[in-house]
Amino acid sequence: MSQGNFAQFKLVLLGESAVGKSSIVHRFVKNTFDDMRESTIGAAFLTQSITLPESKTTIKFEIWDTAGQERYKSLAPMYYRNANAALCVYDITSKASLIKAQDWIKELKKQAPEGIVISLVGNKSDLTENREVEEGEVDEYIRQMTEDGSVIITSECSAKTGDGVLDIFNKIGRALPVEEAVGGNRSRQAGRRPGGVDLGRTNRQQTQSSSCC
Amino acid sequence: GGDLHQLSSGQISKLINIKYHGDATLLIKQLSMDLARKESELAILAKEKFSNEQRLIRLCNEYGNLSTLEIHHKLNEKSEPEDHHHHHRWNEKEELRDVTQHQETGLADEKTQPNKSWLRNWFNSTEDLTTTGLTLSVLLVSSSYTNLVQGPTKSYNRPHSRSLTQLKRAPEPSSSTISEKDPVEMENILINGTYKEKDPVDSLPAEDLHIDKYGFFTDIEPIKKLATVIRSSLTSSDTTSELVTFKSPLQTIHQLKEIGKIHDSISLQFEHQWEILMKEIEKDFFAYSKDKGIDVGIDMMIGMKGLNLIELDNFNDKGLIKGKTDYYNRLVNLTTLLGIPSKFRFKLWLQLSGAKNLRVNGEYNELLNEAKYHEGIANNNKEDNSKIDNRLKIINHNIKQIKLDLHRTLPRNYYFNNLIELKPGPNYYKLQRILYAFVAYRPDIGYLQGMNKIVGNLLLLLIKGGGSNANLESHDRYDEEDVFWIFIGLIEEILPKYSHKIVPHEASPSLTLEQDESFYNSLLSIRVDQIVMKTFYLDQMLPKLSLHFRSIGFEIELVTMNWWLTLFIDLKFLDLDTWFKVFDNLLIGGFKEPNSAPIDEPQNDSELVQHSVEEIKKAIKLITLTLSILKCLEPTILSMSDKDSLYELLNS
């Protein structure tokens, strides 16, 4: 591992309340599922690393898990600012939550940093009997988006059983411009590229933050 | 015949001839039976020893946070009517005695050895537990429940538990049948006889399903243990290091007792001061209201934010009845030092928050009825949304979100989530009613995630014995309605409001009006305040921290947003007792400066300016509390150079 590359990326989770954003994160970070999870307020922060064998790269995700209530929407830019990836989560048993997730994608396209890797994730895939969102429906949406030139990673998972969770993060990891981030700068820090996490840019980020809202 | 080995072979054969009629097998059987008896005694002793160790650990765990007063209270509460607690609670008095006896008689010196390392492991492993603990604890809980249902006998699930129970049921020595005990098993026990303790969590007995004084299932929250360690490092780094590197359980108990004594003497002293203050105020207030000819109940003597005391001080200052007093500042001083004693806490909260002034009798029930009525309508005609008026729509929208959050509020607390009977606890419904009533009271504010946590934790002050000692006045006469009004007080009087510019007429956009919006309607303004806090106050008051944050690229406003929205309850290193103290401080104003004008005298400034000054003061209060907490954490934060772990510490 010490021979491999290291890159750090900021990832944000967005989506309607109670679709299971925090559960996905905890499955990914701690490999646990807790049905006594408290609702997230504001946002929570966690980190986890994965290693991509093909490029021998370790990717550390800085994860911002945001609160789902609609009223927190105005705070979202605070968390997706400088994000390299976004997980827009819906609940396969709720059609309304898919629409919310698509709204988030729309907003990210407009507001988020260019080149952000977006994924549309359907959680609770274990609850097949209550399914409201068919996979074909999502595929159709993705096809449209692709025609418009937007690449969106799509996947279903179950934070409860763990099915497909790691897969999502691996897919995102592969889609991230790892080479670019590592290239030319093999230190522990990520490289200097737009959207990449660069400690040297902190000051500018701060001034941005004070004027942005 | 325990000394047979000292006899010569000739003597033995003689013995066999005389006593066993020449049948050597009889002697062997006799010996093996004796051995079995001894073995079972040994096993029982070892079992006792083991459970004593377990109890001790739990005592250390539970009472490490309690003062001796509280411990005495706990010891004496055996006859408490709430028996849920006691199904699975040990008789602590006996525990302490047992434990000390065993330790003092040095029952087995060699056994204190594993004990020691085991305890230390337990402390050291708390950190690992936070990462791996969740699955473990969930497993633990489920097994504890089944055990609980099936009774306490099945409590040991260590590898050799079977042999233990077998031994317990070993035949009476007097019976003629000879024990068929497999000697190998005995050897096993003797060889592993030190009862090496594995992971203590792994081997907790069923009785260990453990609920703390506020109803939290502590077993399934290993994170709480970590929190305890962090918190004690906040308050006194010296004692913590002693605690972590302690030598033996007995010594730890001793240390805990010492700490408890210090804690108690300080609290008693403070409580005494509080009592004196309250009595003095009461007396003066009586004289004051008599003189003024006003009929105000004694429960209004402190007033919102303690402002009535300023009036009382001013009155006394004029010397009509009494000389100069300084009640307001004394109250502020006592509160900032150690918080309000639990004896007075809720009573004072009602006044300080302004709940007393805002409360309208009967309104709570009316609001509740309205909310329930709306909920009923919404459930009945889901399709016909057009008919529903706007107010109803808003209320229903909020109720929907509340429903999503109810079971996600304090799910590890017995009073919210009764895991034993797998049903919601009483506070679940109280929380629901309060939040419902709130959205009916202020549909313009509505429900925002975070309110659930604040109200939920406020409710915990009212549980029987919660936060109050046995000999102190119970909180029985207060109920959810009081919590509701305290929450209203928070929003109306304590939390800052932000003025927003609005354009009343679209035709003339230059004509703008300033309108106050509640704290919860002003997320973006809160954010601005926090940026101000960071760039101005943090820089001035805690320059080292400010510099550190900047150098590692840590953005404090990303975490303080949660702090404010939950009024700091979301901080995992603050336990409930500490949070109550934070809350005490939130409710009081600052010290009154000696020469400042009396608060009720109109000043030259316009009403509008005056008004916004008040609101700014409220925001300053939140900033002050935030900086205080950061100040407490300063050494820890400065030692962390990785921004990610800092985010995780302060916000996850």
Side-chain angles (χ1 to χ4, degrees):
Chain A
M1 188 113 89
S2 58
Q3 292 298 310
N5 298 318
F6 180 92
Q8 192 161 337
F9 294 100
K10 180 175 171 181
L11 180 146
V12 65
L13 275 96
L14 302 162
E16 206 186 34
S17 189
V19 294
K21 295 179 290 301
S22 304
S23 293
I24 291 176
V25 175
H26 279 259
R27 174 58 77 184
F28 174 54
V29 173
K30 297 179 174 165
N31 197 16
T32 58
F33 179 77
D34 182 1
D35 48 13
M36 293 190 291
R37 181 152 298 292
E38 302 207 6
S39 37
T40 308
I41 291 148
F45 180 83
L46 285 159
T47 60
Q48 175 69 304
S49 301
I50 57 167
T51 304
L52 298 177
E54 65 271 23
S55 56
K56 282 196 192 138
T57 305
T58 300
I59 292 175
K60 182 177 179 186
F61 288 109
E62 305 166 26
I63 304 165
W64 284 96
D65 171 24
T66 64
Q69 193 184 2
E70 178 78 19
R71 292 182 63 176
Y72 278 107
K73 213 175 163 182
S74 58
L75 292 182
M78 199 169 142
Y79 303 108
Y80 67 64
R81 194 165 49 87
N82 298 321
N84 307 93
L87 239 69
C88 299
V89 185
Y90 66 93
D91 170 356
I92 65 147
T93 70
S94 157
K95 185 95 190 239
S97 72
L98 174 66
I99 294 166
K100 276 274 160 57
Q102 290 166 338
D103 287 347
W104 278 116
I105 293 177
K106 223 179 276 170
E107 175 168 340
L108 288 171
K109 287 272 160 208
K110 246 191 268 171
Q111 312 282 345
E114 215 177 305
I116 186 169
V117 174
I118 298 174
S119 65
L120 178 63
V121 175
N123 190 29
K124 310 193 188 178
S125 65
D126 53 303
L127 302 176
T128 38
E129 302 134 52
N130 303 324
R131 181 184 279 278
E132 266 187 24
V133 178
E134 296 303 328
E135 280 183 89
E137 194 176 340
V138 177
D139 290 344
E140 171 58 23
Y141 166 77
I142 297 297
R143 200 185 51 77
Q144 274 176 21
M145 291 299 280
T146 319
E147 272 176 17
D148 298 344
S150 310
V151 181
I152 288 165
I153 297 168
T154 173
S155 193
E156 283 193 2
C157 72
S158 163
K160 192 171 189 172
T161 65
D163 265 1
V165 172
L166 191 60
D167 196 42
I168 293 164
F169 289 89
N170 282 330
K171 274 186 190 167
I172 291 174
R174 291 197 181 92
L176 283 166
V178 172
E179 296 300 321
E180 235 179 283
V182 177
N185 182 4
R186 296 199 176 244
S187 69
R188 249 196 98 260
Q189 299 176 9
R192 291 166 193 282
R193 44 163 222 96
V197 177
D198 183 350
L199 302 187
R201 268 178 5 122
T202 308
N203 282 335
R204 194 153 61 82
Q205 286 175 7
Q206 274 174 345
T207 46
Q208 277 173 357
S209 73
S210 47
S211 59
C212 101
C213 293
Chain B
D3 46 1
L4 276 181
H5 59 281
Q6 283 170 351
L7 303 176
S8 72
S9 310
Q11 282 172 307
I12 292 176
S13 37
K14 208 169 167 185
L15 190 79
I16 293 170
N17 279 332
I18 297 166
K19 250 188 132 178
Y20 300 97
H21 314 292
D23 187 354
T25 49
L26 279 179
L27 175 63
I28 295 171
K29 280 178 179 172
Q30 170 75 50
L31 284 175
S32 116
M33 209 165 79
D34 288 351
L35 213 60
R37 198 190 308 157
K38 286 266 186 290
E39 178 197 323
S40 67
E41 281 167 13
L42 209 85
I44 287 165
L45 276 178
K47 191 185 168 186
E48 268 175 26
K49 177 87 185 116
F50 173 75
S51 54
N52 282 331
E53 284 166 356
Q54 291 288 335
R55 292 171 197 176
L56 177 62
I57 294 303
R58 252 175 294 119
L59 279 174
C60 293
N61 182 14
E62 176 175 10
Y63 296 141
N65 288 331
L66 300 185
S67 67
T68 40
L69 261 184
E70 287 170 308
I71 290 175
H72 280 298
H73 167 48
K74 289 251 172 193
L75 291 181
N76 292 327
E77 70 178 5
K78 270 179 288 179
S79 52
E80 205 189 80
E82 282 176 303
D83 43 0
H84 305 288
H85 288 255
H86 299 283
H87 283 314
H88 48 269
R89 222 174 229 175
W90 301 86
N91 183 338
E92 281 102 341
K93 209 168 213 165
E94 225 173 80
E95 269 166 50
L96 266 182
R97 206 187 49 227
D98 279 354
V99 164
T100 37
Q101 260 177 13
H102 282 284
Q103 293 296 338
E104 272 160 15
T105 55
L107 182 77
D109 277 352
E110 33 150 358
K111 279 181 187 165
T112 52
Q113 201 56 38
N115 221 353
K116 187 171 134 194
S117 53
W118 177 42
L119 264 171
R120 201 187 297 125
N121 279 342
W122 175 72
F123 262 92
N124 290 344
S125 62
T126 46
E127 222 156 325
D128 307 331
L129 277 177
T130 56
T131 46
T132 56
L134 270 172
T135 30
L136 227 163
S137 51
V138 169
L139 280 172
L140 178 79
V141 170
S142 50
S143 71
S144 302
Y145 293 147
T146 45
N147 281 343
L148 205 72
V149 176
Q150 289 161 355
T153 39
K154 285 185 65 181
S155 50
Y156 293 87
N157 45 6
R158 287 174 299 152
H160 44 271
S161 61
R162 197 187 300 146
S163 55
L164 275 181
T165 34
Q166 267 178 18
L167 282 171
K168 223 177 169 181
R169 282 190 240 108
E172 289 290 297
S174 59
S175 90
S176 58
T177 49
I178 279 132
S179 168
E180 291 174 7
K181 203 157 295 346
D182 185 358
V184 178
E185 190 166 274
M186 180 185 74
E187 261 174 52
N188 272 346
I189 289 175
L190 288 178
I191 290 166
N192 303 324
T194 42
Y195 287 90
K196 287 181 289 185
E197 306 309 347
K198 312 215 152 171
D199 185 349
V201 178
D202 204 9
S203 54
L204 286 173
E207 289 87 338
D208 203 77
L209 178 67
H210 171 201
I211 301 173
D212 79 358
K213 62 176 176 171
Y214 288 114
F216 286 100
F217 294 95
T218 47
D219 282 347
I220 56 173
E221 273 198 330
I223 205 155
K224 280 262 166 182
K225 291 173 195 162
L226 173 69
T228 313
V229 176
I230 294 178
R231 187 172 41 80
S232 38
S233 85
L234 286 181
T235 46
S236 53
S237 45
D238 294 341
T239 46
T240 321
S241 58
E242 273 175 48
L243 268 176
V244 176
T245 59
F246 59 80
K247 300 290 184 293
S248 76
L250 193 63
Q251 214 173 328
T252 313
I253 289 193
H254 183 70
Q255 281 177 347
L256 290 175
K257 276 185 181 161
E258 287 301 306
I259 296 168
K261 268 185 206 155
I262 298 166
H263 173 87
D264 282 354
S265 69
I266 295 171
S267 332
L268 275 177
Q269 217 179 315
F270 267 93
E271 210 171 294
H272 187 60
Q273 289 187 38
W274 270 99
E275 261 160 29
I276 292 173
L277 177 67
M278 297 302 273
K279 271 189 192 130
E280 280 180 42
I281 294 173
E282 199 169 316
K283 222 168 89 196
D284 277 19
F285 188 77
F286 184 69
Y288 165 81
S289 51
K290 212 169 150 192
D291 183 83
K292 291 253 169 175
I294 45 169
D295 183 27
V296 185
I298 211 82
D299 57 358
M300 293 292 275
M301 66 186 187
I302 308 288
M304 196 251 298
K305 290 187 196 166
L307 293 179
N308 287 1
L309 292 184
I310 293 182
E311 220 167 289
L312 192 59
D313 283 334
N314 290 339
F315 175 74
N316 284 335
D317 211 11
K318 287 170 191 150
L320 291 175
I321 289 165
K322 197 178 175 176
K324 211 170 168 65
T325 52
D326 201 16
Y327 293 139
Y328 176 79
N329 279 347
R330 275 168 71 188
L331 181 93
V332 174
N333 185 38
L334 283 179
T335 311
T336 46
L337 281 173
L338 266 187
I340 300 172
S342 48
K343 182 180 176 178
F344 298 116
R345 182 167 275 148
F346 202 81
K347 198 157 84 180
L348 286 189
W349 279 5
L350 283 170
Q351 295 191 50
L352 294 171
S353 65
K356 278 266 176 228
N357 310 32
L358 292 160
R359 179 174 180 146
V360 178
N361 282 335
E363 188 165 7
Y364 179 69
N365 281 328
E366 267 175 45
L367 292 165
L368 211 52
N369 287 338
E370 191 197 353
K372 290 267 178 194
Y373 173 70
H374 286 352
E375 191 192 9
I377 293 182
N379 289 342
N380 288 336
N381 33 333
K382 271 182 181 155
E383 307 303 316
D384 192 9
N385 275 337
S386 56
K387 272 191 186 167
I388 303 177
D389 71 55
N390 206 30
R391 179 184 161 85
L392 207 152
K393 237 183 230 164
I394 292 168
I395 291 177
N396 278 334
H397 186 70
N398 281 300
I399 283 178
K400 217 168 127 192
Q401 182 67 45
I402 292 170
K403 279 182 172 167
L404 283 177
D405 287 337
L406 282 174
H407 70 279
R408 298 196 291 170
T409 309
L410 297 164
R412 285 153 203 280
N413 186 291
Y414 170 78
Y415 296 97
F416 285 86
N417 185 11
N418 184 342
L419 289 168
I420 298 161
E421 292 163 46
L422 294 173
K423 62 176 192 189
N427 278 8
Y428 174 96
Y429 299 105
K430 286 181 187 172
L431 174 69
Q432 179 178 36
R433 288 192 292 264
I434 292 174
L435 294 177
Y436 276 23
F438 177 72
V439 294
Y441 183 75
R442 289 298 297 269
D444 58 317
I445 297 175
Y447 168 74
L448 189 74
Q449 285 182 325
M451 290 178 174
N452 55 335
K453 273 199 180 178
I454 295 166
V455 173
N457 282 290
L458 289 178
L459 277 169
L460 286 180
L461 188 63
L462 292 184
I463 59 171
K464 253 206 179 84
S468 69
N469 295 319
N471 54 338
L472 299 180
E473 182 189 337
S474 85
H475 284 135
D476 277 355
R477 59 203 181 94
Y478 302 116
D479 61 15
E480 64 184 74
E481 189 171 348
D482 295 302
V483 174
F484 171 78
W485 289 107
I486 286 175
F487 186 62
I488 301 295
L490 265 184
I491 284 166
E492 299 286 357
E493 306 287 2
I494 305 298
L495 297 176
K497 297 189 185 86
Y498 294 89
S499 58
H500 295 258
K501 282 200 171 69
I502 53 158
V503 183
H505 302 293
E506 277 177 40
S508 47
S510 57
L511 235 172
T512 57
L513 277 181
E514 297 266 329
Q515 190 185 322
D516 272 350
E517 287 278 16
S518 85
F519 182 74
Y520 288 104
N521 290 90
S522 315
L523 292 183
L524 291 178
S525 304
I526 291 173
R527 188 169 140 72
V528 172
D529 264 3
Q530 299 198 332
I531 305 274
V532 171
M533 175 179 77
K534 178 172 91 171
T535 49
F536 184 70
Y537 291 102
L538 187 69
D539 219 40
Q540 279 212 325
M541 318 291 268
L542 301 168
K544 266 195 229 161
L545 271 188
S546 182
L547 198 69
H548 183 65
F549 288 159
R550 219 170 292 157
S551 71
I552 64 171
F554 176 81
E555 293 170 68
I556 186 73
E557 70 272 20
L558 289 180
V559 306
T560 48
M561 183 53 91
N562 292 27
W563 295 17
W564 287 28
L565 289 173
T566 58
L567 303 180
F568 308 99
I569 192 65
D570 223 14
L571 292 177
K572 63 179 174 221
F573 46 80
L574 281 188
D575 69 358
L576 198 52
D577 277 320
T578 314
W579 183 68
F580 284 152
K581 288 177 187 176
V582 172
F583 196 80
D584 292 338
N585 277 284
L586 180 68
L587 297 185
I588 53 158
F591 284 105
K592 181 175 166 280
E593 282 160 38
N595 295 322
S596 73
I599 209 102
D600 56 349
E601 258 173 46
Q603 302 198 337
N604 291 334
D605 299 324
S606 74
E607 208 174 289
L608 196 72
V609 173
Q610 189 69 35
H611 170 76
S612 62
V613 165
E614 279 307 305
E615 295 310 323
I616 288 168
K617 274 188 190 164
K618 292 179 190 172
I620 295 281
K621 186 89 216 180
L622 286 174
I623 291 175
T624 311
L625 288 172
T626 309
L627 294 179
S628 310
I629 290 169
L630 285 173
K631 173 74 189 161
C632 291
L633 292 167
E634 191 171 23
T636 316
I637 293 174
L638 288 177
S639 70
M640 296 167 76
S641 53
D642 174 28
K643 76 170 162 47
D644 290 350
S645 29
L646 204 48
Y647 279 128
E648 275 180 78
L649 172 72
L650 301 177
N651 190 18
S652 67

